Amino acid sequence: MAGLIERYRDRLPFAAGDPVVSLEEGSTPLVPAPRLSARIGAEVHLKLEGANPTGSFKDRGMTCAISAAVREGAQVAICASTGNTAASLAAYAARAGLRGAVIVPEGKIATGKLAQALMHGARVIALRGNFDEALALVRALADQHPIALVNSVNEFRIEGQKTAAFEIVEALDGELDALCIPVGNAGNITAYWRGFREVGVFPRMYGFQAAGAAPLVHGRRIEHPETVASAIRIGNPARWEQAMDAMTASGGTVAAVTDAQILAAYRLLAAEEGVFCEPASAASVAGLLAHGAGGAERIVCVLTGHGLKDPDTALAEAGSVIPCEPEMGAVERAVLG
Ligand code: F0G
């Protein structure tokens, strides 16, 4: 399957002949969720963005941001990140032959994401501060040096990420009442709404934030955001106004979900739907279960990142292994007992 820029070039800011840095991202599955649908009393589908090359939706934005950086002659790409943007930047920068640098909150990014960023050869800087501080610092740095800033303040990120809305509309023939999506820095909900508007489909946009990191819900910046969903541990989203506009204009809303609700949805998706996503992604389903979607009949929940990103949370939430001696009776008891 071709990458996003190749598939949607007529709707993206790339001309024929422009350099394209791609890992054949996008074209992710949209799978029905029968158990969840029965609980909600509506038709629920899951958009599995963890099926992207680095395991999150960030690759959609990154193919565009890094391709544009190469077109502009940049040598270095940088971002602040709670982990997934860092992993994606690192991979696409490696592929493009650019130097990658990522600033992450020390001790607050999931193990898989850290392993990815390091393996792809990015310079990983652990900031003794949170994501919001990291973003303010990289913005200032990019103002003073000729480096490509590829956080979702970069328009190319939004352009790439809007293509997920195109795919959903194609898969459902435009029949969609509501979209449920986790909100952190608020770039993704902004991107989906742009994509939907471009193809003339207007689902209600329901954004969900973790209760300890819910600036949009409270209408004010959160100084010390906290949540088990480390990817959305953000207190001052860069795309604040655009995210609010997406929800208001579409007739949706923003609401908070507790860590307990997030983890319950995380386990439910894995155990009942066979879908392993990371905790932040499960906020979309947690929100749907806790708050509903205004009586919508056909709903898509965006699962933004793969469960393998965060093995530590998975092992803390899952059952334990069964130790066993290498002998038939013991194996029988272990398997069938
Ligand atoms: N889900 C996951 C798995 C994420 O990694 C993020 C953001 C979001 C949801 C929220 O998306 O920021 O566009 O509202 N992760 C960023 C990062 C902040 O650095 O990887 P958003």
Side-chain angles (χ1 to χ4, degrees), residues 77 86 89-91 93-94 99-102 116-125:
L89 179 157
R99 249 176 62 196
V102 304
Q116 289 178 288
L118 290 168
M119 274 302 288
H120 290 303
R123 191 171 292 192
V124 179
I125 297 134

Side-chain angles (χ1 to χ4, degrees), residues 55-58 79-86 113 131 151-152 157 161 181-190 230-232 234 237 278 280-281 303-306:
S56 87
F57 71 96
K58 304 289 181 178
C79 71
S81 180
T82 56
N84 280 323
T85 306
K113 303 173 188 180
F131 170 83
N151 279 103
S152 57
R157 285 277 313 280
Q161 286 169 213
I181 183 168
V183 176
N185 210 25
N188 211 26
I189 191 168
T190 299
S230 58
I232 52 172
I234 294 175
E278 66 171 286
S281 308
L303 298 184
T304 46
H306 201 284

